Amino acid sequence: MAHSLSPECTPLKHAYDSCFNTWFEAYLDPHPTNPSASSSHKSTSPQSTPLNATSQAAYAKAQAAEFEARCGRVWREYRACVMKAVHEKGLGELLEQARAENPLKTPPDVRRLRVSANELGMSVLGWAGLEMFKE
């Protein structure tokens, strides 16, 4: 794993990276299915139908809550450490200038994008990284 902006933040970065990667691997697993919708005949592999939009929304909300429970504390500690280093190194002004020149208001609507799981993962990771520097 790479080092953080400040050596004192590196242990927090490694802890957060590990936590996030574990959570994200589970998040990228195929969406759960509705076992009650499986066919009535017996087979060696059960057939299930995908969850409806309401169930998918509930699943996404549960995943967000799981992320917060698992990784939220270490994320906030790591972010605070990095922001302290940003200001100590005099990078705050450059960061504000970059925000003014290229504002990033909201993440892209991934429902409209047709990308592979790997590309989606990189988009989510990229967005999470950019969110770190929002104050």
Side-chain angles (χ1 to χ4, degrees):
M1 288 186 209
H3 295 282
S4 186
L5 180 62
S6 172
E8 68 188 33
C9 301
T10 298
L12 288 169
K13 178 192 183 322
H14 291 173
Y16 174 71
D17 285 351
S18 177
C19 185
F20 178 84
N21 288 338
T22 300
W23 172 84
F24 195 59
E25 285 175 14
Y27 180 83
L28 287 180
D29 277 347
H31 289 297
T33 56
N34 183 355
S36 65
S38 64
S39 63
S40 59
H41 64 78
K42 294 185 180 194
S43 68
T44 56
S45 62
Q47 298 176 357
S48 301
T49 60
L51 293 175
N52 62 33
T54 302
S55 296
Q56 286 178 348
Y59 175 75
K61 189 173 183 177
Q63 289 296 319
E66 182 178 342
F67 173 80
E68 178 58 34
R70 285 185 174 189
C71 305
R73 180 190 55 78
V74 71
W75 165 249
R76 287 185 293 278
E77 289 174 5
Y78 175 50
R79 182 184 179 280
C81 187
V82 169
M83 291 309 299
K84 178 182 172 198
V86 163
H87 292 293
E88 286 175 353
K89 293 179 183 281
L91 301 173
E93 185 177 320
L94 290 174
L95 188 56
E96 290 303 319
Q97 180 183 355
R99 282 188 189 129
E101 292 173 5
N102 299 294
L104 184 58
K105 305 281 186 209
T106 59
D109 185 356
V110 294
R111 292 170 292 182
R112 292 184 180 187
L113 299 177
R114 293 178 188 225
V115 296
S116 70
N118 186 43
E119 291 169 324
L120 177 61
M122 294 310 294
S123 296
V124 172
L125 287 170
W127 179 254
L130 290 171
E131 283 293 299
M132 170 187 288
F133 297 106
K134 285 181 115 179
E135 292 191 84

